[in-house]
Amino acid sequence: MKVERWSTLKEVQAYLGVGRETILTWIAKRNMPAYKVGRLWKFKLSEVDDWIRSGGAADDKNDDKNDG
């Protein structure tokens, strides 16, 4: 059995083609699967893929405009 390695925030940015702030917003507001290890965020790309497929990154939620 092969164990999936942890990915960094920069790797996930490159993988998804989005900026750092977008990913941090998704973690905070859309339950993007991410794990804090010390001061660093770590990710499993398989979990990120599943989250995206389930609609986690869909644009129909306006994060910044609905803060009340």
Side-chain angles (χ1 to χ4, degrees):
M1 180 177 118
K2 187 172 190 285
V3 176
E4 181 182 359
R5 74 175 190 85
W6 291 97
S7 296
T8 66
L9 183 61
K10 276 191 175 181
E11 289 170 329
V12 174
Q13 279 178 247
Y15 182 66
L16 298 180
V18 299
R20 181 176 184 274
E21 292 305 315
T22 299
I23 292 176
L24 294 175
T25 298
W26 286 347
I27 292 167
K29 298 187 179 179
R30 297 193 186 175
N31 297 323
M32 182 182 200
Y35 306 88
K36 201 85 187 244
V37 180
R39 290 172 42 235
L40 305 174
W41 284 105
K42 296 291 183 178
F43 305 82
K44 294 284 189 179
L45 292 183
S46 62
E47 293 179 2
V48 172
D49 283 340
D50 290 344
W51 174 80
I52 288 172
R53 282 192 196 99
S54 72
D59 275 340
D60 58 359
K61 304 173 198 145
N62 295 324
D63 293 325
D64 301 327
K65 297 182 182 95
N66 292 338
D67 282 350

